[in-house]
Amino acid sequence: MGRPIVRQLSAAARDFIDDERLLSLLSRPAPDLARLDDILAKSLAKEPLEIEETADLLLADSPEAVQRLFAAAHRLKSEVYGNRIVLFAPLYLGNRCINDCRYCAFRRSNPEAVRRTLSLGETRAQVKALEDKGHKRLILVFGEHPEYDAEFIAECVRAAYAVKSGPGEIRRVNINAAPFDREGFALIKAAGIGTYQIFMETYHHATYRAVHGEHNRKGDYLWRLDALSRAFEAGQDDIGIGALFGLYDWRFDVLGLVSHAIFLRARYGVGPHTISFPRLQPAKGAVIDEAWRVGDDDFKRLVAILRLSAPYTGMILTARENPEVRREVLAFGVSQIDAGSRIELGGYTEQLCEQELDREQFMLGDVRPLDVVMRELLQDGYVPSFCTACYRKGRTGEHFMEFAVPGFIKQLCTPNALTTLTEYLTDYASPETREAGARLIEAELSKMPEGRARLELEDRLRRIRDEGEHDLLY
Ligand code: SF4
Protein backbone atom coordinates (compact mmCIF):
# COMPACT_ATOMS: atom_id res chain seq x y z
CA MET A 1 0.00 0.00 0.00
CA GLY A 2 1.76 3.22 -1.23
CA ARG A 3 1.20 6.91 -0.60
CA PRO A 4 -2.36 8.15 0.14
CA ILE A 5 -4.23 9.82 -2.71
CA VAL A 6 -4.15 13.66 -2.64
CA ARG A 7 -7.80 14.56 -3.26
CA GLN A 8 -7.02 17.78 -5.11
CA LEU A 9 -9.20 18.57 -8.10
CA SER A 10 -7.82 19.84 -11.42
CA ALA A 11 -7.58 23.52 -12.30
CA ALA A 12 -10.53 23.01 -14.66
CA ALA A 13 -12.72 21.16 -12.17
CA ARG A 14 -16.42 21.94 -12.42
CA ASP A 15 -19.60 19.91 -12.67
CA PHE A 16 -20.57 20.65 -16.30
CA ILE A 17 -23.50 18.20 -16.31
CA ASP A 18 -26.79 20.15 -15.92
CA ASP A 19 -29.48 17.47 -15.46
CA GLU A 20 -32.40 19.85 -15.91
CA ARG A 21 -31.02 21.25 -19.14
CA LEU A 22 -30.34 17.82 -20.61
CA LEU A 23 -33.81 16.60 -19.59
CA SER A 24 -35.41 19.71 -21.10
CA LEU A 25 -33.56 19.05 -24.38
CA LEU A 26 -35.18 15.59 -24.42
CA SER A 27 -38.67 16.95 -23.74
CA ARG A 28 -38.81 18.97 -26.97
CA PRO A 29 -40.74 17.81 -30.07
CA ALA A 30 -38.91 15.62 -32.59
CA PRO A 31 -37.13 17.52 -35.38
CA ASP A 32 -38.58 17.48 -38.89
CA LEU A 33 -36.71 15.62 -41.62
CA ALA A 34 -35.20 18.81 -43.04
CA ARG A 35 -33.62 19.63 -39.66
CA LEU A 36 -32.50 16.01 -39.33
CA ASP A 37 -30.82 16.12 -42.75
CA ASP A 38 -28.98 19.33 -41.80
CA ILE A 39 -27.56 17.67 -38.70
CA LEU A 40 -26.61 14.52 -40.61
CA ALA A 41 -24.87 16.67 -43.23
CA LYS A 42 -22.78 18.28 -40.47
CA SER A 43 -21.77 14.85 -39.14
CA LEU A 44 -20.91 13.66 -42.64
CA ALA A 45 -18.73 16.75 -42.98
CA LYS A 46 -16.97 15.17 -39.96
CA GLU A 47 -17.78 18.02 -37.59
CA PRO A 48 -18.54 17.05 -33.97
CA LEU A 49 -22.13 17.84 -33.00
CA GLU A 50 -23.36 20.33 -30.41
CA ILE A 51 -25.49 18.96 -27.55
CA GLU A 52 -28.76 20.29 -29.02
CA GLU A 53 -28.00 18.51 -32.31
CA THR A 54 -27.33 15.20 -30.56
CA ALA A 55 -30.56 15.67 -28.61
CA ASP A 56 -32.44 16.13 -31.90
CA LEU A 57 -31.00 12.85 -33.21
CA LEU A 58 -32.22 11.16 -30.03
CA LEU A 59 -35.71 12.58 -30.54
CA ALA A 60 -35.85 11.56 -34.22
CA ASP A 61 -37.47 8.13 -33.74
CA SER A 62 -39.81 7.76 -36.71
CA PRO A 63 -38.97 4.76 -38.96
CA GLU A 64 -37.90 7.13 -41.78
CA ALA A 65 -35.71 9.20 -39.46
CA VAL A 66 -34.07 6.13 -37.91
CA GLN A 67 -33.34 4.75 -41.39
CA ARG A 68 -31.58 8.00 -42.32
CA LEU A 69 -29.63 7.91 -39.04
CA PHE A 70 -28.36 4.38 -39.69
CA ALA A 71 -27.44 5.15 -43.30
CA ALA A 72 -25.47 8.25 -42.27
CA ALA A 73 -23.70 6.48 -39.40
CA HIS A 74 -22.72 3.63 -41.68
CA ARG A 75 -21.37 6.06 -44.30
CA LEU A 76 -19.45 8.11 -41.74
CA LYS A 77 -17.90 4.99 -40.20
CA SER A 78 -16.72 3.85 -43.65
CA GLU A 79 -15.33 7.26 -44.56
CA VAL A 80 -13.34 7.75 -41.32
CA TYR A 81 -12.50 4.17 -40.28
CA GLY A 82 -12.91 2.27 -43.54
CA ASN A 83 -13.49 -1.44 -42.91
CA ARG A 84 -10.88 -1.80 -40.16
CA ILE A 85 -11.78 -3.20 -36.75
CA VAL A 86 -9.11 -2.97 -34.05
CA LEU A 87 -8.87 -5.88 -31.63
CA PHE A 88 -7.88 -6.09 -27.98
CA ALA A 89 -8.31 -8.28 -24.90
CA PRO A 90 -9.32 -7.36 -21.35
CA LEU A 91 -7.17 -8.64 -18.49
CA TYR A 92 -8.58 -8.42 -14.95
CA LEU A 93 -5.78 -8.27 -12.37
CA GLY A 94 -7.60 -7.60 -9.08
CA ASN A 95 -11.22 -7.60 -7.88
CA ARG A 96 -10.87 -6.41 -4.30
CA CYS A 97 -13.02 -3.28 -3.96
CA ILE A 98 -13.95 -0.76 -1.28
CA ASN A 99 -17.06 0.38 -3.19
CA ASP A 100 -20.53 -1.12 -3.25
CA CYS A 101 -21.91 -0.36 -6.71
CA ARG A 102 -25.31 -1.98 -7.00
CA TYR A 103 -24.80 -3.34 -10.52
CA CYS A 104 -21.43 -5.00 -9.94
CA ALA A 105 -20.52 -8.53 -8.76
CA PHE A 106 -17.28 -7.19 -7.27
CA ARG A 107 -19.19 -4.92 -4.91
CA ARG A 108 -17.85 -4.93 -1.34
CA SER A 109 -21.04 -6.45 0.11
CA ASN A 110 -21.21 -9.41 -2.28
CA PRO A 111 -20.11 -12.38 -0.07
CA GLU A 112 -20.09 -14.75 -3.06
CA ALA A 113 -17.41 -12.89 -5.01
CA VAL A 114 -14.17 -14.89 -5.14
CA ARG A 115 -11.62 -12.20 -4.28
CA ARG A 116 -8.22 -12.35 -5.91
CA THR A 117 -5.26 -10.16 -6.87
CA LEU A 118 -2.91 -11.71 -9.39
CA SER A 119 0.77 -11.74 -8.46
CA LEU A 120 3.23 -10.35 -11.02
CA GLY A 121 4.11 -13.93 -11.92
CA GLU A 122 0.45 -14.78 -12.51
CA THR A 123 0.05 -11.57 -14.50
CA ARG A 124 2.96 -12.55 -16.74
CA ALA A 125 1.41 -15.97 -17.29
CA GLN A 126 -1.88 -14.36 -18.37
CA VAL A 127 -0.05 -12.02 -20.74
CA LYS A 128 1.93 -14.92 -22.24
CA ALA A 129 -1.30 -16.86 -22.80
CA LEU A 130 -2.79 -13.85 -24.61
CA GLU A 131 0.34 -13.35 -26.72
CA ASP A 132 0.27 -17.04 -27.69
CA LYS A 133 -3.22 -16.46 -29.09
CA GLY A 134 -2.02 -13.48 -31.16
CA HIS A 135 -3.10 -10.50 -29.06
CA LYS A 136 -1.02 -7.28 -29.19
CA ARG A 137 -3.29 -4.87 -27.31
CA LEU A 138 -4.55 -5.23 -23.75
CA ILE A 139 -6.68 -3.35 -21.28
CA LEU A 140 -5.82 -4.05 -17.63
CA VAL A 141 -8.81 -3.81 -15.26
CA PHE A 142 -8.82 -3.27 -11.47
CA GLY A 143 -11.37 -2.79 -8.69
CA GLU A 144 -10.97 0.30 -6.51
CA HIS A 145 -8.81 -0.58 -3.51
CA PRO A 146 -5.82 1.01 -1.72
CA GLU A 147 -3.82 -2.08 -2.79
CA TYR A 148 -4.30 -1.07 -6.46
CA ASP A 149 -2.56 2.29 -6.24
CA ALA A 150 -0.65 4.03 -9.06
CA GLU A 151 2.63 2.37 -8.11
CA PHE A 152 1.09 -1.12 -8.23
CA ILE A 153 -0.70 -0.47 -11.52
CA ALA A 154 2.46 1.03 -13.09
CA GLU A 155 4.33 -2.16 -12.12
CA CYS A 156 1.65 -4.30 -13.76
CA VAL A 157 1.87 -2.21 -16.95
CA ARG A 158 5.66 -2.59 -17.11
CA ALA A 159 5.36 -6.33 -16.44
CA ALA A 160 2.87 -6.73 -19.31
CA TYR A 161 5.15 -4.94 -21.78
CA ALA A 162 8.14 -7.03 -20.69
CA VAL A 163 6.57 -10.41 -21.55
CA LYS A 164 7.79 -11.79 -24.92
CA SER A 165 6.65 -15.21 -26.18
CA GLY A 166 8.07 -16.30 -29.53
CA PRO A 167 6.91 -13.64 -32.02
CA GLY A 168 4.39 -12.49 -29.43
CA GLU A 169 4.53 -9.18 -27.57
CA ILE A 170 2.09 -6.64 -26.20
CA ARG A 171 2.53 -3.31 -27.97
CA ARG A 172 -0.15 -1.23 -26.24
CA VAL A 173 -1.41 -1.50 -22.66
CA ASN A 174 -4.49 0.53 -21.76
CA ILE A 175 -5.97 0.58 -18.27
CA ASN A 176 -9.45 0.86 -16.72
CA ALA A 177 -8.96 1.86 -13.10
CA ALA A 178 -10.31 4.15 -10.41
CA PRO A 179 -9.42 7.87 -10.53
CA PHE A 180 -5.89 8.86 -9.48
CA ASP A 181 -4.55 12.15 -8.23
CA ARG A 182 -2.21 14.12 -10.47
CA GLU A 183 0.94 12.39 -9.21
CA GLY A 184 -0.70 9.02 -9.76
CA PHE A 185 -1.60 9.89 -13.34
CA ALA A 186 1.97 11.02 -13.98
CA LEU A 187 3.23 7.68 -12.64
CA ILE A 188 1.07 5.51 -14.88
CA LYS A 189 1.81 7.74 -17.84
CA ALA A 190 5.53 7.22 -17.21
CA ALA A 191 4.94 3.44 -17.15
CA GLY A 192 3.88 3.76 -20.80
CA ILE A 193 0.11 3.24 -20.79
CA GLY A 194 -1.82 3.94 -23.98
CA THR A 195 -5.34 4.96 -22.99
CA TYR A 196 -6.55 5.71 -19.47
CA GLN A 197 -10.20 4.67 -19.46
CA ILE A 198 -12.80 5.59 -16.85
CA PHE A 199 -16.58 5.36 -16.98
CA MET A 200 -18.97 7.72 -15.21
CA GLU A 201 -21.43 4.79 -15.39
CA THR A 202 -24.28 7.34 -15.41
CA TYR A 203 -24.17 11.13 -15.67
CA HIS A 204 -27.58 11.50 -13.97
CA HIS A 205 -26.79 12.86 -10.49
CA ALA A 206 -29.62 11.27 -8.51
CA THR A 207 -29.13 7.86 -10.14
CA TYR A 208 -25.37 8.13 -9.63
CA ARG A 209 -25.92 8.70 -5.89
CA ALA A 210 -28.45 5.86 -5.68
CA VAL A 211 -26.34 3.15 -7.36
CA HIS A 212 -22.99 4.14 -5.80
CA GLY A 213 -23.90 5.43 -2.33
CA GLU A 214 -22.56 8.89 -1.39
CA HIS A 215 -20.38 7.50 1.41
CA ASN A 216 -18.42 5.25 -0.90
CA ARG A 217 -15.30 6.57 -2.62
CA LYS A 218 -17.02 6.08 -5.99
CA GLY A 219 -19.96 8.09 -4.72
CA ASP A 220 -17.94 11.31 -5.17
CA TYR A 221 -19.39 12.48 -8.51
CA LEU A 222 -17.08 15.46 -9.09
CA TRP A 223 -13.89 13.58 -8.17
CA ARG A 224 -14.75 11.01 -10.87
CA LEU A 225 -16.01 13.54 -13.43
CA ASP A 226 -12.79 15.54 -13.00
CA ALA A 227 -10.50 12.50 -13.33
CA LEU A 228 -9.81 13.03 -17.04
CA SER A 229 -8.95 16.69 -16.49
CA ARG A 230 -6.39 15.60 -13.86
CA ALA A 231 -5.11 12.99 -16.33
CA PHE A 232 -4.67 15.55 -19.12
CA GLU A 233 -3.00 18.00 -16.72
CA ALA A 234 -0.60 15.22 -15.66
CA GLY A 235 0.42 14.66 -19.31
CA GLN A 236 -1.86 11.76 -20.32
CA ASP A 237 -2.63 11.93 -24.06
CA ASP A 238 -5.28 9.35 -24.83
CA ILE A 239 -8.28 8.98 -22.57
CA GLY A 240 -11.47 6.94 -22.81
CA ILE A 241 -14.93 7.68 -21.43
CA GLY A 242 -17.98 5.49 -21.04
CA ALA A 243 -21.39 4.97 -19.50
CA LEU A 244 -23.15 1.80 -18.33
CA PHE A 245 -26.40 1.79 -20.28
CA GLY A 246 -29.42 0.58 -18.36
CA LEU A 247 -28.79 2.49 -15.13
CA TYR A 248 -30.92 5.45 -16.30
CA ASP A 249 -32.59 6.77 -19.49
CA TRP A 250 -30.10 5.82 -22.24
CA ARG A 251 -30.84 9.03 -24.12
CA PHE A 252 -29.78 11.10 -21.09
CA ASP A 253 -26.48 9.21 -20.77
CA VAL A 254 -25.76 9.68 -24.48
CA LEU A 255 -26.10 13.42 -23.82
CA GLY A 256 -23.84 13.00 -20.79
CA LEU A 257 -21.10 11.36 -22.88
CA VAL A 258 -21.36 13.98 -25.61
CA SER A 259 -21.31 16.79 -23.00
CA HIS A 260 -18.13 15.25 -21.55
CA ALA A 261 -16.48 15.14 -24.98
CA ILE A 262 -17.50 18.75 -25.69
CA PHE A 263 -16.13 19.89 -22.32
CA LEU A 264 -12.73 18.19 -22.83
CA ARG A 265 -12.38 19.45 -26.42
CA ALA A 266 -13.18 23.02 -25.29
CA ARG A 267 -10.83 22.89 -22.28
CA TYR A 268 -7.89 20.80 -23.60
CA GLY A 269 -8.26 21.05 -27.38
CA VAL A 270 -8.78 17.29 -27.70
CA GLY A 271 -11.72 15.06 -26.93
CA PRO A 272 -11.80 11.45 -25.80
CA HIS A 273 -9.76 8.93 -27.80
CA THR A 274 -12.49 6.36 -27.23
CA ILE A 275 -16.09 6.08 -26.06
CA SER A 276 -17.47 2.85 -24.54
CA PHE A 277 -21.19 2.05 -24.26
CA PRO A 278 -21.55 -1.21 -22.32
CA ARG A 279 -25.08 -2.41 -21.56
CA LEU A 280 -25.97 -3.75 -18.12
CA GLN A 281 -25.57 -7.53 -17.99
CA PRO A 282 -26.43 -10.08 -15.29
CA ALA A 283 -23.91 -10.02 -12.43
CA LYS A 284 -23.84 -12.20 -9.33
CA GLY A 285 -25.22 -10.36 -6.29
CA ALA A 286 -26.08 -7.26 -8.35
CA VAL A 287 -29.28 -5.25 -7.90
CA ILE A 288 -30.56 -4.08 -11.30
CA ASP A 289 -33.55 -1.80 -11.91
CA GLU A 290 -35.19 -3.22 -15.05
CA ALA A 291 -37.00 0.07 -15.74
CA TRP A 292 -34.12 1.44 -17.76
CA ARG A 293 -33.07 -1.71 -19.61
CA VAL A 294 -31.99 -0.83 -23.20
CA GLY A 295 -33.51 -3.05 -25.92
CA ASP A 296 -31.58 -4.04 -29.09
CA ASP A 297 -33.34 -1.50 -31.35
CA ASP A 298 -32.54 1.38 -29.01
CA PHE A 299 -28.99 0.05 -28.61
CA LYS A 300 -28.46 0.28 -32.37
CA ARG A 301 -29.73 3.88 -32.35
CA LEU A 302 -27.46 4.64 -29.39
CA VAL A 303 -24.37 3.40 -31.29
CA ALA A 304 -25.32 5.27 -34.49
CA ILE A 305 -25.99 8.54 -32.62
CA LEU A 306 -22.69 8.40 -30.75
CA ARG A 307 -20.93 7.77 -34.05
CA LEU A 308 -22.60 10.77 -35.65
CA SER A 309 -21.92 13.01 -32.63
CA ALA A 310 -18.16 12.34 -32.40
CA PRO A 311 -16.80 11.52 -35.88
CA TYR A 312 -13.15 11.03 -34.85
CA THR A 313 -13.60 9.25 -31.56
CA GLY A 314 -12.95 5.51 -31.43
CA MET A 315 -15.96 3.47 -30.37
CA ILE A 316 -15.48 0.32 -28.29
CA LEU A 317 -18.01 -2.53 -28.34
CA THR A 318 -17.22 -5.28 -25.84
CA ALA A 319 -18.01 -8.96 -25.51
CA ARG A 320 -20.80 -8.08 -23.09
CA GLU A 321 -22.93 -8.19 -26.22
CA ASN A 322 -23.81 -11.45 -27.96
CA PRO A 323 -22.32 -12.29 -31.40
CA GLU A 324 -25.52 -11.39 -33.31
CA VAL A 325 -25.81 -7.88 -31.81
CA ARG A 326 -22.07 -7.31 -32.25
CA ARG A 327 -22.19 -8.32 -35.88
CA GLU A 328 -25.07 -5.91 -36.52
CA VAL A 329 -23.86 -2.78 -34.75
CA LEU A 330 -20.32 -3.03 -36.13
CA ALA A 331 -21.70 -1.38 -39.27
CA PHE A 332 -23.01 1.69 -37.41
CA GLY A 333 -19.77 3.06 -36.11
CA VAL A 334 -17.82 0.64 -33.94
CA SER A 335 -14.04 0.81 -34.46
CA GLN A 336 -12.73 -1.49 -31.70
CA ILE A 337 -13.85 -4.81 -30.19
CA ASP A 338 -12.41 -7.35 -27.79
CA ALA A 339 -12.27 -11.01 -28.76
CA GLY A 340 -11.42 -14.31 -27.12
CA SER A 341 -12.11 -12.59 -23.79
CA ARG A 342 -12.11 -14.17 -20.34
CA ILE A 343 -12.87 -11.88 -17.42
CA GLU A 344 -12.41 -14.32 -14.55
CA LEU A 345 -9.19 -13.57 -12.71
CA GLY A 346 -6.65 -16.08 -14.06
CA GLY A 347 -9.16 -16.98 -16.80
CA TYR A 348 -6.63 -17.17 -19.67
CA THR A 349 -4.61 -19.99 -18.14
CA GLU A 350 -7.18 -21.89 -16.03
CA GLN A 351 -9.28 -24.27 -18.18
CA LEU A 352 -12.75 -22.93 -17.51
CA CYS A 353 -15.53 -24.56 -19.53
CA GLU A 354 -18.39 -22.23 -18.73
CA GLN A 355 -18.32 -18.69 -17.38
CA GLU A 356 -17.87 -18.67 -13.59
CA LEU A 357 -20.11 -15.81 -12.46
CA ASP A 358 -18.74 -15.63 -8.90
CA ARG A 359 -15.35 -14.88 -10.44
CA GLU A 360 -16.64 -12.35 -13.04
CA GLN A 361 -17.78 -8.73 -12.73
CA PHE A 362 -20.70 -9.43 -15.11
CA MET A 363 -21.74 -12.06 -17.63
CA LEU A 364 -20.19 -12.05 -21.12
CA GLY A 365 -22.39 -12.38 -24.21
CA ASP A 366 -19.62 -13.44 -26.59
CA VAL A 367 -17.04 -16.00 -25.42
CA ARG A 368 -15.93 -17.18 -28.86
CA PRO A 369 -12.17 -17.73 -29.34
CA LEU A 370 -10.16 -14.99 -31.07
CA ASP A 371 -9.63 -17.08 -34.22
CA VAL A 372 -13.38 -17.59 -34.69
CA VAL A 373 -14.09 -13.86 -34.34
CA MET A 374 -11.20 -13.08 -36.74
CA ARG A 375 -12.63 -15.41 -39.38
CA GLU A 376 -16.13 -13.93 -39.10
CA LEU A 377 -14.74 -10.39 -39.46
CA LEU A 378 -12.73 -11.43 -42.53
CA GLN A 379 -15.74 -13.15 -44.09
CA ASP A 380 -17.83 -10.02 -43.46
CA GLY A 381 -15.25 -7.92 -45.34
CA TYR A 382 -13.63 -6.27 -42.30
CA VAL A 383 -9.86 -5.92 -41.84
CA PRO A 384 -9.08 -7.09 -38.29
CA SER A 385 -6.18 -4.99 -37.00
CA PHE A 386 -3.80 -5.17 -34.04
CA CYS A 387 -2.37 -1.76 -34.92
CA THR A 388 -0.59 0.24 -32.22
CA ALA A 389 1.38 2.53 -34.56
CA CYS A 390 -0.06 5.94 -33.65
CA TYR A 391 0.62 5.43 -29.95
CA ARG A 392 4.17 4.19 -30.62
CA LYS A 393 4.91 6.91 -33.17
CA GLY A 394 3.64 9.64 -30.83
CA ARG A 395 0.52 10.36 -32.90
CA THR A 396 -1.58 10.68 -29.75
CA GLY A 397 -4.05 13.20 -28.30
CA GLU A 398 -3.93 16.43 -30.30
CA HIS A 399 -1.22 15.02 -32.60
CA PHE A 400 -3.56 12.17 -33.54
CA MET A 401 -6.21 14.70 -34.52
CA GLU A 402 -3.67 16.54 -36.70
CA PHE A 403 -3.44 13.33 -38.74
CA ALA A 404 -7.03 12.19 -38.41
CA VAL A 405 -8.87 15.36 -39.40
CA PRO A 406 -7.22 15.92 -42.81
CA GLY A 407 -7.67 12.20 -43.54
CA PHE A 408 -3.96 11.24 -43.57
CA ILE A 409 -4.71 8.53 -41.13
CA LYS A 410 -6.20 6.32 -43.82
CA GLN A 411 -2.87 6.22 -45.60
CA LEU A 412 -1.36 4.79 -42.42
CA CYS A 413 -4.21 2.76 -40.93
CA THR A 414 -4.89 0.31 -43.74
CA PRO A 415 -1.22 -0.60 -44.30
CA ASN A 416 -0.73 -1.01 -40.54
CA ALA A 417 -3.88 -3.13 -40.30
CA LEU A 418 -2.66 -5.37 -43.13
CA THR A 419 0.83 -5.83 -41.66
CA THR A 420 -0.54 -6.75 -38.20
CA LEU A 421 -3.16 -8.99 -39.80
CA THR A 422 -0.42 -10.76 -41.78
CA GLU A 423 1.51 -11.34 -38.56
CA TYR A 424 -1.59 -12.96 -37.01
CA LEU A 425 -2.27 -15.13 -40.09
CA THR A 426 1.36 -16.26 -40.26
CA ASP A 427 1.95 -16.95 -36.56
CA TYR A 428 -1.42 -17.92 -34.99
CA ALA A 429 -4.33 -18.43 -37.40
CA SER A 430 -6.14 -21.70 -38.14
CA PRO A 431 -5.94 -22.86 -41.81
CA GLU A 432 -9.53 -21.65 -42.48
CA THR A 433 -8.81 -18.21 -41.03
CA ARG A 434 -5.51 -17.99 -42.92
CA GLU A 435 -7.35 -18.70 -46.17
CA ALA A 436 -10.05 -16.10 -45.46
CA GLY A 437 -7.32 -13.62 -44.52
CA ALA A 438 -5.32 -14.18 -47.72
CA ARG A 439 -8.46 -13.52 -49.79
CA LEU A 440 -9.21 -10.34 -47.92
CA ILE A 441 -5.65 -9.00 -48.19
CA GLU A 442 -5.66 -9.60 -51.93
CA ALA A 443 -8.95 -7.71 -52.20
CA GLU A 444 -7.60 -4.81 -50.12
CA LEU A 445 -4.41 -4.59 -52.18
CA SER A 446 -6.42 -4.54 -55.40
CA LYS A 447 -8.25 -1.45 -54.10
CA MET A 448 -4.93 0.42 -53.81
CA PRO A 449 -3.62 2.38 -56.81
CA GLU A 450 -0.54 0.91 -58.52
CA GLY A 451 2.61 2.66 -57.43
CA ARG A 452 5.38 2.97 -54.82
CA ALA A 453 3.11 2.84 -51.75
CA ARG A 454 1.47 -0.40 -52.87
CA LEU A 455 4.81 -1.97 -53.83
CA GLU A 456 6.27 -1.01 -50.46
CA LEU A 457 3.31 -2.56 -48.63
CA GLU A 458 3.38 -5.76 -50.72
CA ASP A 459 7.08 -6.04 -49.89
CA ARG A 460 6.47 -5.66 -46.16
CA LEU A 461 3.69 -8.26 -46.21
CA ARG A 462 6.00 -10.68 -48.06
CA ARG A 463 8.81 -10.15 -45.53
CA ILE A 464 6.43 -10.88 -42.63
CA ARG A 465 4.86 -13.90 -44.35
CA ASP A 466 7.96 -15.46 -45.90
CA GLU A 467 10.94 -14.13 -43.98
CA GLY A 468 9.56 -14.06 -40.44
CA GLU A 469 10.00 -10.31 -40.00
CA HIS A 470 7.68 -8.51 -37.59
CA ASP A 471 6.45 -5.11 -36.54
CA LEU A 472 6.93 -3.33 -39.87
CA LEU A 473 4.75 -0.40 -38.84
CA TYR A 474 4.07 2.88 -40.66
S1 SF4 B 1 -18.03 -1.18 -10.38
FE1 SF4 B 1 -15.88 -0.99 -9.87
S2 SF4 B 1 -15.86 0.34 -8.08
FE2 SF4 B 1 -17.94 -0.43 -8.27
S3 SF4 B 1 -18.01 -2.25 -6.97
FE3 SF4 B 1 -17.50 -2.90 -9.05
S4 SF4 B 1 -15.27 -3.02 -9.11
FE4 SF4 B 1 -15.87 -1.77 -7.35
Side-chain angles (χ1 to χ4, degrees), residues 95-108 142-144 201 212 218 224 361:
N95 67 348
R96 301 182 70 185
C97 195
I98 56 172
N99 294 311
D100 210 19
C101 310
R102 285 200 185 153
Y103 47 81
C104 176
F106 293 166
R107 57 193 297 207
R108 174 185 73 231
F142 305 83
E144 178 159 15
E201 318 293 9
H212 295 118
K218 192 164 175 176
R224 198 169 182 87
Q361 191 178 24

Side-chain angles (χ1 to χ4, degrees), residues 31 33 36 40 57 59-71:
L33 291 177
L36 177 68
L40 297 179
L57 296 187
L59 293 165
D61 56 4
S62 70
E64 174 55 29
V66 171
Q67 222 33 58
R68 292 186 191 195
L69 264 173
F70 286 160

Side-chain angles (χ1 to χ4, degrees), residues 187-203:
L187 260 169
I188 55 165
K189 168 71 184 163
I193 69 161
T195 305
Y196 169 69
Q197 192 189 65
I198 188 165
F199 301 168
M200 269 314 282
E201 318 293 9
T202 179
Y203 288 85

